[in-house]
Amino acid sequence: MTTLKGKTLFITGASRGIGKAIALRAARDGANIVIAAKTTEPHPKLPGTIYTAAEEIEKAGGRALPVMVDIRFEDQIAAAVAETVAKFGGIDILVNNASAISLTGTEDTPMKRFDLMHGINTRGTFACSQACIPHLKKSSNPHILNNSPPLNMEARWFGPHVAYTMAKYGMSMCVLGMAEELRSEGIAVNALWPRTVIATAAVQNLLGGEETIRGSRQPEIMADAAYAILTKPSKSFTGNFCIDEDVLRADGVTDFDKYQSVPGAELFPDYFI
């Protein structure tokens, strides 16, 4: 495959950030994009809603279906999947992008926040995959792509924020297990993670503000890497824990300066690498 034209992508958390960037990249091919996210009203610190994202996707050349979904609830996922199939006829690609983050130690992590991270990151990823698999089985090149890190089981990645690490690694364990489980069905299951911090609203608000943004890359690097993965043959490319920069280098990309938020600034490495 060299194009996503006519393919239907179900993307969680696609109203902003990395999810929206992946959606816009696919839209340029003429893909159908389901924006499965919670934001229907503008938020003072989080720009974008499912409806503004839909407008951008359609301007970019895609077809958009904005659906309000809280992926902690399987009935909402089921309704969104049914609406997707009714509108577009099926599902070719699932991108499990939605995540919650709290870089807090054990004593400083309220159980409500623990439940949110595990409910969205691990459980939400599992539930969305479960709901989409019957439709992915009917696709000619089906993919599941999780925005999650390599499984580097080192204490240094757990110590500072054990609850968050457990929740993100839960997404990665879905890749490890489902890639093997679904291999015979020809459904690819892969993970994608950035080498550097990505400039998103979460980084701006929770992870250091403008100083961290200076040392970040734009979400488009993740979008281009995701595109490279999702256009590969699903039967032969599965079970991989991909790093955005490595994926693009393998495809011949040499200019990474274009992705920097501030050209020439020192880049901050992301967690888990």
Side-chain angles (χ1 to χ4, degrees):
M1 281 187 66
T2 56
T3 180
L4 294 178
K5 182 176 177 60
K7 297 294 182 181
T8 297
L9 289 75
F10 189 103
I11 308 178
T12 66
S15 59
R16 62 178 66 92
I18 292 169
K20 188 178 79 170
I22 293 172
L24 290 171
R25 180 63 187 88
R28 298 212 305 266
D29 276 7
N32 308 316
I33 313 292
V34 181
I35 307 146
K38 291 192 299 182
T39 308
T40 57
E41 298 291 334
H43 186 284
K45 290 188 176 180
L46 300 171
T49 68
I50 60 175
Y51 305 113
T52 58
E55 289 176 10
E56 290 185 58
I57 287 163
E58 296 197 334
K59 283 179 184 174
R63 297 172 67 201
L65 175 62
V67 187
M68 200 288 285
V69 185
D70 184 334
I71 62 169
R72 290 174 293 175
F73 303 100
E74 54 264 42
D75 58 337
Q76 293 187 29
I77 296 170
V81 167
E83 193 172 345
T84 299
V85 174
K87 184 173 179 67
F88 296 129
I91 298 173
D92 300 288
I93 292 165
L94 166 64
V95 180
N96 286 307
N97 168 73
S99 291
I101 184 171
S102 180
L103 300 178
T104 46
T106 301
E107 290 182 284
D108 296 320
T109 305
M111 288 312 299
K112 184 177 180 181
R113 192 69 189 179
F114 180 100
D115 290 342
L116 179 71
M117 289 191 287
H118 284 259
I120 292 174
N121 300 5
T122 303
R123 189 180 188 278
T125 291
F126 186 94
C128 287
S129 301
Q130 184 183 74
C132 288
I133 286 168
H135 304 286
L136 292 170
K137 287 179 179 179
K138 301 172 186 176
S139 172
S140 59
N141 197 51
H143 280 264
I144 297 174
L145 182 63
N146 293 356
N147 181 1
S148 66
L151 284 167
N152 293 332
M153 304 296 281
E154 301 172 23
R156 65 190 177 118
W157 297 129
F158 286 84
H161 36 71
V162 62
Y164 173 65
T165 301
M166 288 168 65
K168 287 305 287 188
Y169 277 25
M171 296 175 71
S172 298
M173 291 170 76
C174 285
V175 171
L176 188 68
M178 290 182 194
E180 189 62 27
E181 177 187 3
L182 302 173
R183 192 180 298 275
S184 63
E185 300 283 356
I187 300 174
V189 189
N190 295 290
L192 177 62
W193 194 248
R195 183 168 298 285
T196 72
V197 174
I198 299 296
T200 64
V203 168
Q204 179 91 40
N205 296 328
L206 302 172
L207 304 179
E210 288 299 328
E211 182 58 32
T212 307
I213 292 290
R214 278 183 56 81
S216 302
R217 284 174 170 159
Q218 291 297 308
E220 284 70 26
I221 189 170
M222 286 287 281
D224 289 348
Y227 182 87
I229 293 167
L230 298 173
T231 51
K232 294 184 187 299
S234 62
K235 288 182 172 63
S236 58
F237 193 84
T238 188
N240 301 288
F241 292 90
C242 304
I243 304 300
D244 57 355
E245 186 178 308
D246 296 346
V247 170
L248 295 174
R249 284 191 190 282
D251 271 12
V253 175
T254 56
D255 176 17
F256 291 91
D257 293 343
K258 64 183 179 180
Y259 295 116
Q260 286 199 234
S261 297
V262 178
E266 182 180 355
L267 291 166
F268 296 122
D270 210 334
Y271 296 103
F272 308 121
I273 293 178

